Amino acid sequence: MQGTLRTIGWLSFFAAILVSWVFLYMMAVGMDLDLLGRPGPMGETMRNMDPRMDMYMPMAEFGPLFAMWAVMMAAMMLPTMVPTLRAYEDLMVSANGTRIGWWGVLLGYFIVWAAFAALIAAVQLALLFGGVIDMLGIGRSALFQGGLLIAVGAFQFTRAKEVCHGVCHSPMSYFLTRWRTGFDGGLRMGLGLGAFCVGCCWGFMALGFVGGVMNLAWMGLATLFMVIEKLPQIGHYTTKPMGVLLIAAGVAVIGWPLVMGG
């Protein structure tokens, strides 16, 4: 019975990842974007629309943006949860963890991600109506794009990143120091772990405003890096090099137009 429940749990987990990415792909196609986020004729027209126009535009409304970001949270963050859920399963053998607690941990993560999706959707609307990004969520100026790359890169060197990454990188330590049983216990631990996860990875979500929030290749690369960053064997060796790379990319984005203009 336990083996069956375990199989069902993991099959549901990976099915959710697949469905999330398929849904994002369908959204991108519906917006006339390719996998690199490049717009076709219809997408280009939408990109240049004024969000204040007296017509319904999903990318200028909180509800559709929140739904998009919620799905994107699932698509990007579920793969990074594998070490955490496996660590909890280890405690189902050596301690008094339960399958219902496993689901509680997962739900706790989702609640935190949904809250972050609401926050970043609101930020996107503010940037859109402030003229900082276009309707596709892409920064309008090299200064904004480069500045965001530099800011996220610099965050990789902060104490906050170190603490949050330490928890995400070693979820077993978190479980052992804050262990709670049952569904409620799993939920509370999931909420805590989800908060550290957002603290660790928020910057890579925000970089969607550089490459385009519906640029699936860009977001796929961010997901791949976040997965690598949480691998026990190599995760600690990737954080600061990525910070250097992002800062260098930001300087290049800002400097290139100046060089070319000169």
Side-chain angles (χ1 to χ4, degrees), residues 123-143:
V123 169
Q124 182 167 344
L125 282 178
L127 293 174
L128 175 64
F129 282 92
V132 180
I133 62 175
D134 61 28
M135 195 70 77
L136 297 182
I138 303 173
R140 291 184 178 275
S141 72
L143 183 61

Side-chain angles (χ1 to χ4, degrees), residues 24-35 42 214 216:
L24 288 177
Y25 173 75
M26 292 173 63
M27 288 180 62
V29 170
M31 294 167 63
D32 194 26
L33 304 175
D34 64 13
L35 292 178
M42 185 183 75
M214 288 305 298
L216 299 188

Side-chain angles (χ1 to χ4, degrees), residues 20 28 45 55 60 79 85 94 103-104 116 126 134 144 150 153 155 157 160 184 186 188 190 217 221 232 248 252 259:
S20 299
T45 299
M55 61 182 294
L85 295 177
S94 60
W103 284 106
F116 182 72
D134 61 28
F144 171 75
I150 292 172
F155 179 72
F157 296 90
D184 291 346
R188 292 180 67 174
L221 284 174
V259 172

Side-chain angles (χ1 to χ4, degrees), residues 5-175:
L5 290 175
R6 181 179 187 276
T7 301
I8 292 173
W10 282 107
L11 285 176
S12 301
F13 178 81
F14 287 113
I17 296 175
L18 178 61
V19 169
S20 299
W21 279 102
V22 169
F23 188 76
L24 288 177
Y25 173 75
M26 292 173 63
M27 288 180 62
V29 170
M31 294 167 63
D32 194 26
L33 304 175
D34 64 13
L35 292 178
L36 297 177
R38 295 174 300 189
M42 185 183 75
E44 190 64 38
T45 299
M46 182 179 69
R47 178 180 184 178
N48 294 315
M49 284 183 173
D50 185 341
R52 296 175 180 79
M53 291 175 62
D54 188 18
M55 61 182 294
Y56 176 72
M57 291 179 285
M59 294 297 284
E61 300 285 340
F62 177 80
L65 278 180
F66 169 69
M68 179 197 75
W69 276 107
V71 173
M72 195 173 297
M73 291 296 106
M76 297 181 70
M77 302 311 299
L78 277 173
T80 72
M81 275 195 71
V82 172
T84 299
L85 295 177
R86 291 193 56 157
Y88 187 91
E89 282 199 335
D90 290 340
L91 292 170
M92 290 172 61
V93 176
S94 60
N96 54 353
T98 60
R99 181 59 55 185
I100 193 67
W102 188 91
W103 284 106
V105 170
L106 192 57
L107 178 60
Y109 267 88
F110 271 118
I111 291 173
V112 175
W113 292 341
F116 182 72
L119 175 62
I120 200 166
V123 169
Q124 182 167 344
L125 282 178
L127 293 174
L128 175 64
F129 282 92
V132 180
I133 62 175
D134 61 28
M135 195 70 77
L136 297 182
I138 303 173
R140 291 184 178 275
S141 72
L143 183 61
F144 171 75
Q145 292 179 325
L148 186 55
L149 283 164
I150 292 172
V152 175
F155 179 72
Q156 296 290 99
F157 296 90
T158 64
R159 176 61 178 165
K161 173 69 178 189
E162 182 181 352
V163 171
C164 292
H165 179 254
V167 174
C168 293
H169 184 256
S170 183
M172 181 63 78
S173 298
Y174 183 92
F175 285 135

